[in-house]
Every structure is written in C-alpha cells, then in structure tokens.
Amino acid sequence: MMLVTKPVAELCALLIDELHGELPSRIFATLLSKGRSTLPQLSQYTSMTLRQLRHGVAVLLQHNLLFYHLDPGTEFAFYEANAEHAYNLVRTGKILEMIDTSFGAPAKDVMQSLLLSGQTRISDLVAAYQDKIEQATKAGGIVGDEDDFGAETNGVNGDSHPAKNTGPQVKSTAHLNSIICRLVEAEVIDVVHPKTFESSHDVLKTVEKEAMDKHFPAGIKGNKAKIELQERIAEGLRKVRDECKSLKRKLEQNGSAAKRRKLFTGVGMTNGTYEEDIDPALDPKQVIRINYEKCLVDLRNRRLVQFATDIFGETTAYVYGVLLKLLTKDLPRCRSDPAMDVGEDKDDDDEKGRRSVTTDQILDNLKTSVDLSLGIGKAEKRQISSAAAEKVELYPPKKKVLIAEAEVDGEASPDEDEDDSDSSEESDYDSDYKAPTTNGVNGTHGTKVKFDESAAPKERRLDRPTQLRQHLLLLSESRQHFVRHCGPNEWTVDFVPLINALREAELDSVIERTSGRQGLRLVRILRAKGKLDEKALPNVALMRKPELQQKMLEMQTAGFVHVQEVPRDLKADVKKSFFLWFCDVDRSLNRLLDTSYKTMLHCMQVLEALRQKERDVLETTKRTDVRGREKDTMRKEYYERYSRFLECERKLFAQVMRLDDFVSVLRDF
Amino acid sequence: MSGRGGRGGRGGRGGRGPLTNGRRAVAQNSVPWAMDGDIVLDGKPSELFPPYDVPKAPLLSRKEEKQVSYFLLFREQCQDSPLYTQARNWTQSSGTTARTYGQDQLNKRYGQMSKATVDPFTAVPTYSHRFKKVPRTLPDLGSRPFAKDFFPPELHATLDGDDEHSSGNGPVAKRRRVGPKTLGLSNITSYKTAEELFLPDAQQLGVGAGAGAASMDKALQFIDTIEKQNGDEEAILSGEDDDDWVKGNGEDDEDGNAEEDDQYEDESGDDYNAEAYFDGNQDDEDYDEGGDDGGDYF
C-alpha cells in the first residue's frame, strides 16, 4: 500500500527519533533496510547488545510501530517495521486538533495520553487519570477553591494555560469512561487483539492456511473452487479485521447507544452536565489504541469540506460537511482493501446501497443558527431546467472523471490557489462555523442553473428544506461531482472520482505555481487533445514556437508533461521522427509524491542541522533550573537565539504538515 | 570524439597545421568568435550568488498554528516520558547527512559516551552540572505497566525492568519493583511558542523581579553613568580618574561576579568553557562594555 522508498524510510526514522528517541529510531531504520529479522540478526546488523535491542523493540512495539510474528515452538520472534504507523506520527498534531474540534478538549486530552503511552489497558489509563485528578484536587485545595470554576471554562478553550488548570480537563473516572465510550463509538479508538501485531502478509498466510485446511483438505480443483477459496479468505480476513471493533459492538448492543449519541452530539462539552450514568462501564482488561484508519476518514472529510469551500463558499461547504459526517459515520477506512472486500459487494449489497443520506437526515443535523439562504443564488423558475437539475443518478459514473474534467476551463483553477487563505479556518464543520458575510463565492461554475440578481426578492424566502435542497443540487451539479443524487431525496458521495478530481486540482495548482498560467494552459490543452505532435502544438496553443518549446522543456524536467519519440522509418532518424507531447496524470502525481517525501525529509534534516548549530543554547534550555524560566535566566542574546530557533522549528514543522496534507490527498484518501 | 577528429583529419578539413590537428581545426572554425567577428566577450566571472527569488511559504492559518502547537506539545511530552532515549553526541558526528558506507560507519554516527569522546572543556565536574539532565540511553520500562500478552515472550522480562546485564532473574532484579506501577501522565501542558518568547523587554525585566535581574539592571545603569561621567575611553584607560576607578572597581567586583555567573550558566553550565569564552564573547556587547569602563580588567 505504502511504498517505502529511501526518503520515506529516512523520514520515518527521523520522526521516531523526534518523538521516541534514538534507540528505537536506529532499530526501526535497520528493520526498514534489512527487512524482517530476529533479535540476534538485528544485533549483528547494528552491533548493539541484545539488552539494548530488547528495550528498543519493546518501546517500538508499545507504540505499535512494529509487527512481529512468532512461530509456535521457536525462541525468537521476527520483527518487521510498520512504516505506515511511523509515517502517521507526523499527523499527530492534525489528529489532536481534529479531536479537539469535534469532541472537545477533554477528549483531546485523553487521546493525547493514549498517543503518548501507546497501547494501554483501560484500567491503567483510569488509574493514571485518577492519580492526576487526585493530585489536582490536592493542589486545588491549596490554591483555593474559587479556581475550579475558572479552570472549567478554560478547559474548553484549549490547553495553553499554566499548569494550574490542567487537572480538571477530565473531571472524574466516570467522565473518562464516557469520553472513551464516545471515542470508541466514533471508531477513532479501537481494541488491540493478538492479530494486531501480525503484518497483513502474515495474517493472509494464516487465514489462507486455515481456509485450506478447513474447506479444501483435498486441494483445489477447478475454477469454481478457486473462487470459493478467495471468498473464504476474504471472509476470514474481514473477521480478523473486525475483531478490533469488538468493543464498539459491545457498546452498541447496549441499545442505548443511539440515544446516548444523540444526547452528546448536541451538548458538546461546554456545560458541565455529563450523562455519565448512561454509559456502561468498559471492561478494564481491554487494551485500546488509536485507530489511524478512521482518523484518516475524518481528515478526508475535512479536506473535502475545504475543497467545497474553495469552490462554492461557506454555507454550501457546511451543508456538505454535515452530509459527509452522516455518510461516513460507519465507514471504517478511506479505501476498501481489494483482498478483503471481494465478497462484500455480493453479501451486503443492500447494505452498501443504504450508504446514503436523506435530505431530512441532513436537515435534522444542521445547526439552526445557520442561515441557509446564504450562498445560493436566485433564479426565476423558468430559467431553471428542473428536469436536468433534479436528475437522479442511480449508479456511480462509469467513465473516468479525469477525462471529463479536461474541458479547458480557465475559471476553475484560481479557486484552488488560495488554499491557505483565511477561509479555511471557518471550514470546520463541527464547531466554529460562522455565517459568511458575503453571498456564495462563485456559485455559477458549470452549473445548469443560471442565476439572476434581479430576480424577485420574494423568491428568496424559501423554506429551509428547499434551501437545503438547493445547496445539495449545487453540489451534485458541479464538475467535481461532490454529491450524487442517488434517489429521490437521497444523496451519496462517490469518493473515488471525487478524490481523483481533488488530486487533479492539487496537481493543477502545483503546475501553476511552478510553470505559471501558460504552463497550466498547455497541460490542459494536452489533456484535452491527448498526444500532440511537437509541430502541431504551437498552432493549437496559439503560441510562438521558441516560447512554447522552452515552456514545454521546463515542464518536462519538472515531470508534468512527457514526450514520446516515434520514428518514421527503420533508421530512426532524429530529424524525421515525430515527437509527441502528452501528459500522464498518474505519473506526474507519483513524481510529486516522491518530491514531497523528499522535501519533508529535507525539512527534518534542516531542523537537525539547526539544532546542531544552536546546540549550546539548546543544552542550556534543557537544564532543570532554566527550563520553564528561560526568559528570566537566560541572557538576552541567548534568549533571542533560542526564540529564533523556536520560530524556525515551528515553521519547519508547519511545512512538514502542509506537505503531509498533500501526501494524504495523493496517497491515502 | 577522437574518432570524429580522426575522420576530420583524413578528410583534410583542417586548414594549416599538421595532419593530426584536424579536430582542433574544426573547433577553431566553430568557436563563436570565429563565426562572429563582432562578438564582445563578457569576461566577468559569473556572480557567486545571483539574485534568486526565494519562494516563501504563506503564513500559518489559525488552524495550522493549532496543529503545530499540538504536535510540539505532544513531542515535548514524549521527550519527557520514561520511554524516551537520547544520547546524541554532537561533538563526534559532524553532520548526520554525511554519506556512510556500510554498517560500521553508520554505527559510528551514533555517539557512544566513553572516555575518548569526552569534551575536555566541559567534562570537569562543576556545581551547575547538578542541573543538567542526564540523557537516558535505555528506556525506563520498569516504571510503567504494560499489556504483556501482546508482546512476544522474549521481551517479558525486559518489560518488567528485570533485564539486567547478568540476564539472571536474581533477587537484584526483583528489587527494583517497588510499589504498584502507574502509568504517568505528562505534566507538561504548554509549549513555548515564539510569540510568547518575543515579549517586550520591559515586561521581561518586570516579570523577572529576581535579585539577579535587579542587580543586572543596576549594573547597566551604573555603567551608563560612568560612561557619561568619563566622556571617553582614554580617561579610563590611563586611569586618571582615581575616584571613579576605585568606585568602579568596588562595584564592578560584585557586578562582574554576577555577570560571570550568569554568563557561565547561560552558556553551558561550566566554570571554564574556553570555546564559548572566546567565541561567545566576540559578539557579546555586554562583556565589551564591561571591559571598557571597568579598568580593573587590565
């Protein structure tokens, strides 16, 4: 799934070094380069002692960064690096921020503790929190009781407060329990089971063997048996995969799950009343950990909402966010695994079909404070072809959207260019929604509805469901196919073509940044026309030949366009052969992905170099008498150097995270 | 290339010169100034650092700020946890990006603390070493509970903290476990941001309010007054104004001490850090000022 190239390997090792230290990072790097190995082998590779290795491997396993496989009866286990989880470390900040906005600060606190300690038994976590709460109450008693109230309100705003206010983030073990319940129900936390540590390859092997022994003891004969075996294997794999959802299932069996959820979604954590009694006590023996797959689904939702914001504006994007949230509530991962989901289509066909949301559901989940009349234009009835607008598409589109998108359209690109503008701040569909002051940014792209500003103001006063429908129709009409109108008043999202459109939008903005508008225009011409001869291109593009050639070469070195040489005769004379320009989106994207890995790695290396440069300052700040009081104890120049370093560090990490945004669009979504 | 030159020679395309010189002749005809007589050669060396439009990343949005802060806070907590190990030896590795060939060289990159790698300038034990955090080379696994059923059996002893050098499960190892193990939650709740650090100086001094800051302030004021009184440096250097010299000497004694203390603590926590003493003070204005007015240093 994730191709581990050299830059990726180095990046993962550096990330582990950053968060968990040098020893695990060394072991991880060795495991990545040498493949699966046992402890004695590792000792040979790294010339470290077995004791060191055991400690390092234990840390890595605790943080879920390794797979291991132990054949029964053997002494040594085989360890294998889990590069995906190592890469996910870079998303920690994003995941925490997401949890913070959608579940509140206390949930973020729990999540952070969980990330910090790796897989944890629930009882241990509860005990740790109990300790902390007791300490906090003791300290609170000394400081004074009136502080409690202030701390409570502060807890909501985030945790950038002095240590005095930390305790009450999670107020009691019951509160902790309810938080864990909510997170488990949202699937962002799942249960560790013995198979968690088997690499997917090992799991496949065991499942395959089981299926063979159980159902085909005499061997496989014929195509029919082969297909059946495939299905059995897929079934077995799914069973293994679902094991980590056991806790969630148990919670849902309680029956009150839906009710509890309903109580909580509206309430949030702003007021101090928690319905703790309703939550069932969790089995303290269970071991829980973060489920990155589900976190990715949520991150994808946010990215798509941002994409919609760029194209339509705030209100429509908000509606879209609500729709996505409802739609992906039970979606376990961004992409279905071809090995496992083979049979699923057949078995749960009706279930798949049910993955849609009705207009009423969305309406129920919208905040009443949102003014839906914003962001949609007004048009007279006769100007709208309602048949075309309300067209119901029962099935996902068959043809690739990439080709459909190739219509040369100069208008659409600027939307993506201002990715980082302020508007993205408001796109969090969960909490800080603000009603936009202007009407929709640009509602007219490629839609069949033509708006008329002079339409009668009376028509603006539509009722809420109709307005909501307008937004949804707007979404479904766009070139990117944000939403598919899959039945009367039913909506669904085809993620694959949509993500492809998003990818292409990203690619376009990169091309525009590097080669300018001219370059982007040329690329779009090539996409529309397919392969074009070198001599024909100036005519099509209406550009002068030398300029054009320079641009094309520039883009070829950047990997956006490619050239193919077709000899006219056997001698393959260069002067006579054709040179065909074309652009291959997948190839460009792969190259971009690789470049982003390299840039991320480079950022981390720059940081390391900076650290080495400023090491005398940094060593000072690590001292126990200086730490926390840097301002008072350090001299001015040193202090300035230190703060400059901190600023650089922030910028570098921010750059890494932005690149990760890009990588997740290209690779994971 | 040589083949082509040979052909040229045989063909007799070369003008004057011996037969083997064909290549040079071809080159002579095709150099730019042979083809174009009016050409003016620009003999200037190319600019070493030509102006380059450095692309700048856009400023962080509020959301990104939050994300980065959360990440940094998380990292800070991680580095504070008992599982974090770091034994980096800066003096030895002159850059982590250096090319390595083979495992031996790679291993050398990770510094080992031994007598050979000790920095002679900082290794002499001093008082301020008490404040130095000793980097952990092995994670402290014994201090916290683990879900042991998910680890292979070969690691179980290690997870208990019983993995001593002898690897024997003797009473020595057992002794370490005292009381119930608890999962410690980090107490670090904030991470210094650059904005927090860039506070105005006035506030900084006000907040400081410690004796050190106050005396530093006084010293600076004193230095100012001396400078005003004396007018120029030569007066001090020649030692004409005895009163001031004596006064300065007396006052400077304490202040000098305070300054020195500060300085040493700031830099590396050593009494004698020669490297920093020379390097650090060249661009150190405070020190220069002190040297100028306080004639006692001579």
Side-chain angles (χ1 to χ4, degrees), chain A residues 45 47 51 79 100 166 620, chain B residues 70 103 107 154 163 189 266:
Chain A
Y45 298 144
S47 45
R51 181 163 172 260
Y79 297 96
D100 192 29
T166 53
T620 315
Chain B
Y70 284 165
Q103 194 64 39
N107 286 335
E154 56 184 348
D163 191 5
T189 49
D266 284 348

Side-chain angles (χ1 to χ4, degrees), chain A residues 17-24 26 39 45-47 51-52 54-55 57-59 61-63 68 70 75-77 79 89 92-94 96-97 100-101 108 112-113 115-117 119-121 124-125 128-129 131-132 159 161 163 166 192-194 197 287 302 420 425 428 605 608 611-612 615-616 619-620 622-625 627-628 630-639 642-643 646-647 649-650 653-655 657-658, chain B residues 57-79 81 83-88 90-91 93-97 103 107 110 128 130-133 137-139 141 144-155 158-159 163-165 182-183 185-199 201 204 207-208 216 263-269 281 283-286:
Chain A
D17 181 71
E18 185 76 29
L19 292 177
H20 302 305
E22 190 185 82
L23 180 67
R26 265 179 93 174
L39 280 180
Y45 298 144
T46 59
S47 45
R51 181 163 172 260
Q52 278 177 311
R54 273 194 295 261
H55 277 88
V57 163
V59 172
L61 271 179
Q62 175 65 18
H63 289 286
Y68 73 83
L70 187 63
E75 194 183 349
F76 296 111
Y79 297 96
L89 288 178
T92 313
K94 264 176 231 162
L96 286 176
E97 194 258 343
D100 192 29
T101 35
K108 183 222 147 200
Q112 191 158 353
S113 308
L115 275 168
L116 194 63
S117 47
Q119 43 175 346
T120 318
R121 227 177 258 291
D124 290 337
L125 195 67
Y129 266 98
D131 269 9
K132 204 176 174 186
D159 61 341
H161 300 286
T166 53
V192 180
H193 56 94
F197 290 99
V287 179
R302 290 166 67 116
D420 306 308
E425 282 167 27
D428 296 335
Q605 283 169 345
E608 201 70 354
R611 276 198 192 128
Q612 201 169 351
R615 65 174 182 270
D616 48 342
E619 263 169 34
T620 315
K622 285 222 173 74
R623 280 173 42 168
T624 46
D625 59 332
R627 205 182 176 117
E630 289 92 346
K631 219 181 297 167
D632 310 336
T633 43
M634 285 170 80
R635 232 178 2 173
K636 206 176 158 210
E637 297 94 87
Y638 265 61
Y639 189 64
Y642 178 53
S643 44
L646 286 186
E647 206 182 13
E649 190 186 50
R650 278 182 87 80
F653 273 122
Q655 188 64 22
M657 281 181 197
R658 275 181 188 162
Chain B
L59 289 176
L60 299 186
S61 68
R62 234 181 32 227
K63 199 167 108 190
E64 281 169 327
E65 282 277 350
K66 225 169 149 190
Q67 289 172 351
V68 175
S69 309
Y70 284 165
F71 180 79
L72 288 175
L73 175 63
F74 175 67
R75 189 198 65 181
E76 221 44 24
Q77 292 188 347
C78 271
Q79 300 197 347
S81 85
L83 300 191
Y84 182 73
T85 50
Q86 196 60 275
R88 187 158 290 142
W90 291 115
T91 47
S93 63
S94 57
T96 44
T97 49
Q103 194 64 39
N107 286 335
Y110 301 100
S128 55
R130 290 199 323 168
F131 302 118
K132 254 194 178 167
K133 246 182 157 177
T137 46
L138 278 184
L141 297 170
R144 52 163 289 175
F146 286 94
K148 261 195 278 178
D149 14 337
F150 297 120
F151 289 88
E154 56 184 348
L155 295 177
T158 316
L159 292 176
D163 191 5
E164 297 302 325
H165 266 303
T182 49
L183 187 69
L185 295 177
S186 182
N187 288 320
I188 299 177
T189 49
S190 66
Y191 182 74
K192 283 264 179 300
T193 60
E195 292 88 75
E196 266 176 67
L197 291 167
F198 281 130
L199 284 175
D201 287 344
Q204 186 185 328
V207 170
M216 184 80 159
Q263 177 190 320
Y264 289 136
E265 277 181 18
D266 284 348
E267 274 162 16
S268 58
N281 284 320
D283 51 353
D284 187 353
E285 283 160 23
D286 278 15

Side-chain angles (χ1 to χ4, degrees), chain B residues 15-278:
Chain B
R16 45 220 152 103
L19 211 77
T20 49
N21 241 4
R23 188 168 72 195
R24 192 174 298 162
V26 170
Q28 252 170 17
N29 288 338
S30 56
V31 288
W33 53 87
M35 295 195 287
D36 183 3
D38 305 332
I39 199 166
V40 182
L41 283 179
D42 185 12
K44 270 190 295 182
S46 62
E47 225 176 318
L48 202 56
F49 299 108
Y52 175 66
D53 190 16
V54 184
K56 264 193 184 167
L59 289 176
L60 299 186
S61 68
R62 234 181 32 227
K63 199 167 108 190
E64 281 169 327
E65 282 277 350
K66 225 169 149 190
Q67 289 172 351
V68 175
S69 309
Y70 284 165
F71 180 79
L72 288 175
L73 175 63
F74 175 67
R75 189 198 65 181
E76 221 44 24
Q77 292 188 347
C78 271
Q79 300 197 347
D80 195 46
S81 85
L83 300 191
Y84 182 73
T85 50
Q86 196 60 275
R88 187 158 290 142
N89 198 347
W90 291 115
T91 47
Q92 207 180 30
S93 63
S94 57
T96 44
T97 49
R99 206 173 280 262
T100 48
Y101 305 93
Q103 194 64 39
D104 282 346
Q105 268 177 315
L106 197 70
N107 286 335
K108 265 186 201 148
R109 197 190 274 175
Y110 301 100
Q112 271 145 355
M113 292 299 197
S114 69
K115 278 186 183 160
T117 60
V118 151
D119 182 5
F121 292 111
T122 57
V124 181
T126 60
Y127 175 75
S128 55
H129 275 194
R130 290 199 323 168
F131 302 118
K132 254 194 178 167
K133 246 182 157 177
V134 183
R136 202 185 280 114
T137 46
L138 278 184
D140 185 12
L141 297 170
S143 64
R144 52 163 289 175
F146 286 94
K148 261 195 278 178
D149 14 337
F150 297 120
F151 289 88
E154 56 184 348
L155 295 177
H156 284 185
T158 316
L159 292 176
D160 285 336
D162 291 349
D163 191 5
E164 297 302 325
H165 266 303
S166 54
S167 77
N169 36 15
V172 189
K174 284 278 190 293
R175 202 184 49 203
R176 286 191 59 174
R177 240 185 294 164
V178 188
K181 295 175 181 180
T182 49
L183 187 69
L185 295 177
S186 182
N187 288 320
I188 299 177
T189 49
S190 66
Y191 182 74
K192 283 264 179 300
T193 60
E195 292 88 75
E196 266 176 67
L197 291 167
F198 281 130
L199 284 175
D201 287 344
Q203 200 185 338
Q204 186 185 328
L205 286 172
V207 170
S215 69
M216 184 80 159
D217 217 9
K218 239 201 282 178
L220 287 173
Q221 271 178 8
F222 177 72
I223 285 162
D224 279 351
T225 50
I226 286 185
E227 269 185 341
K228 270 171 204 157
Q229 274 177 19
N230 290 330
D232 59 346
E233 293 176 5
E234 281 175 5
I236 305 170
L237 287 175
S238 55
E240 274 175 11
D241 206 339
D242 265 4
D243 270 6
D244 264 342
W245 190 85
V246 172
K247 216 172 126 214
N249 198 4
E251 282 278 344
D252 251 349
D253 226 337
E254 329 171 344
D255 289 335
N257 276 343
E259 226 173 74
E260 267 170 27
D261 275 352
D262 270 355
Q263 177 190 320
Y264 289 136
E265 277 181 18
D266 284 348
E267 274 162 16
S268 58
D270 277 342
D271 267 354
Y272 184 65
N273 181 357
E275 214 178 353
Y277 189 84
F278 292 120

Side-chain angles (χ1 to χ4, degrees), chain A residues 49-258:
Chain A
T49 62
L50 279 175
R51 181 163 172 260
Q52 278 177 311
L53 287 171
R54 273 194 295 261
H55 277 88
V57 163
V59 172
L60 284 170
L61 271 179
Q62 175 65 18
H63 289 286
N64 258 301
L65 297 168
L66 289 187
F67 295 119
Y68 73 83
H69 182 72
L70 187 63
D71 283 325
T74 51
E75 194 183 349
F76 296 111
F78 280 95
Y79 297 96
E80 199 176 344
N82 184 350
E84 223 151 301
H85 275 198
Y87 180 83
N88 278 335
L89 288 178
V90 82
R91 300 193 170 125
T92 313
K94 264 176 231 162
I95 290 172
L96 286 176
E97 194 258 343
M98 184 187 77
I99 299 288
D100 192 29
T101 35
S102 40
F103 295 94
K108 183 222 147 200
D109 192 58
V110 174
M111 199 75 164
Q112 191 158 353
S113 308
L114 200 57
L115 275 168
L116 194 63
S117 47
Q119 43 175 346
T120 318
R121 227 177 258 291
I122 291 183
S123 58
D124 290 337
L125 195 67
V126 170
Y129 266 98
Q130 209 155 17
D131 269 9
K132 204 176 174 186
I133 292 164
E134 269 167 26
Q135 274 174 21
T137 44
K138 256 184 224 161
I142 295 161
V143 171
D145 286 349
E146 76 272 15
D147 253 7
D148 271 14
F149 188 70
E152 209 167 292
T153 46
N154 273 340
V156 180
N157 298 333
D159 61 341
S160 58
H161 300 286
K164 209 166 59 181
N165 294 346
T166 53
Q169 284 246 330
V170 174
K171 286 182 191 60
S172 60
T173 44
H175 185 195
L176 176 68
N177 192 45
S178 83
I179 289 173
I180 297 178
C181 282
R182 285 171 62 217
L183 292 176
V184 166
E185 268 169 25
E187 284 181 45
V188 287
I189 287 181
D190 64 9
V191 180
V192 180
H193 56 94
K195 290 256 165 56
T196 314
F197 290 99
E198 303 260 311
S199 68
S200 54
H201 192 71
D202 288 333
V203 172
L204 182 68
K205 272 264 170 78
T206 34
V207 167
E208 212 170 46
K209 196 157 170 284
E210 256 171 43
M212 282 297 282
D213 290 348
K214 215 167 163 188
H215 302 285
F216 306 95
I220 313 164
K221 285 186 195 98
N223 274 338
K224 211 175 170 189
K226 254 185 206 163
I227 292 169
E228 201 190 331
L229 176 71
Q230 280 299 319
E231 278 171 16
R232 297 263 183 222
I233 289 172
E235 199 182 322
L237 286 174
R238 257 177 284 144
K239 214 195 264 168
V240 170
R241 195 173 63 180
D242 289 345
E243 228 170 282
C244 54
K245 301 282 172 294
S246 59
L247 197 58
K248 189 195 176 193
R249 270 202 303 277
K250 215 183 279 170
L251 280 179
E252 277 173 347
Q253 272 168 14
N254 256 314
S256 61

Side-chain angles (χ1 to χ4, degrees), chain A residues 417-632:
Chain A
D417 295 335
E418 281 101 35
D419 265 351
D420 306 308
S421 67
D422 297 346
S423 66
S424 60
E425 282 167 27
E426 270 83 53
S427 62
D428 296 335
Y429 49 91
D430 275 315
S431 64
D432 31 53
Y433 174 80
K434 278 183 208 153
T437 46
T438 53
N439 263 6
V441 182
N442 37 13
T444 43
H445 284 316
T447 51
K448 292 159 200 114
V449 188
K450 294 283 172 278
F451 296 131
D452 185 1
E453 288 296 318
S454 64
K458 201 170 57 185
E459 275 197 344
R460 265 193 89 174
R461 296 272 151 254
L462 298 165
D463 54 334
R464 242 171 118 73
T466 323
Q467 286 171 346
L468 175 63
R469 259 185 87 79
Q470 295 292 324
H471 282 292
L472 290 170
L473 288 173
L474 195 62
L475 283 164
S476 69
E477 274 173 4
S478 62
R479 280 188 304 122
Q480 289 85 1
H481 299 287
F482 280 101
V483 166
R484 182 158 56 85
H485 196 180
C486 63
N489 274 331
E490 277 183 24
W491 311 88
T492 188
V493 178
D494 301 317
F495 283 107
V496 178
L498 178 57
I499 293 296
N500 279 339
L502 177 59
R503 270 178 208 154
E504 188 154 290
E506 289 277 358
L507 176 66
D508 282 356
S509 74
V510 171
I511 292 175
E512 195 178 357
R513 288 272 168 89
T514 46
S515 334
R517 294 199 76 98
Q518 296 254 313
L520 184 59
R521 184 170 160 268
L522 286 170
V523 167
R524 289 202 162 142
I525 290 172
L526 282 182
R527 268 185 215 151
K529 303 276 178 197
K531 287 185 180 173
L532 259 188
D533 185 23
E534 191 185 27
K535 291 179 186 95
L537 191 56
N539 293 333
V540 179
L542 303 176
M543 280 172 78
R544 288 203 297 136
K545 207 177 168 190
E547 277 172 36
L548 181 104
Q549 242 153 11
Q550 203 190 344
K551 200 91 228 165
M552 290 310 273
L553 281 177
E554 192 187 307
M555 286 200 289
Q556 200 208 357
T557 37
F560 300 137
V561 292
H562 313 278
V563 74
Q564 182 185 10
E565 184 180 343
V566 183
R568 208 188 287 245
D569 48 19
L570 274 177
K571 274 157 88 186
D573 191 0
V574 180
K575 276 178 191 156
K576 276 185 189 163
S577 43
F578 296 105
F579 286 92
L580 300 178
W581 289 107
F582 66 102
C583 71
D584 182 342
V585 176
D586 288 338
R587 229 155 102 182
S588 316
L589 287 178
N590 279 337
R591 181 156 170 183
L592 271 182
L593 186 61
D594 196 48
T595 329
S596 354
Y597 286 142
K598 276 182 198 153
T599 321
M600 285 166 94
L601 174 66
H602 190 73
C603 284
M604 300 291 286
Q605 283 169 345
V606 167
L607 183 64
E608 201 70 354
L610 266 180
R611 276 198 192 128
Q612 201 169 351
K613 200 173 134 206
E614 305 280 349
R615 65 174 182 270
D616 48 342
V617 178
L618 291 179
E619 263 169 34
T620 315
T621 57
K622 285 222 173 74
R623 280 173 42 168
T624 46
D625 59 332
V626 176
R627 205 182 176 117
R629 303 187 291 127
E630 289 92 346
K631 219 181 297 167
D632 310 336

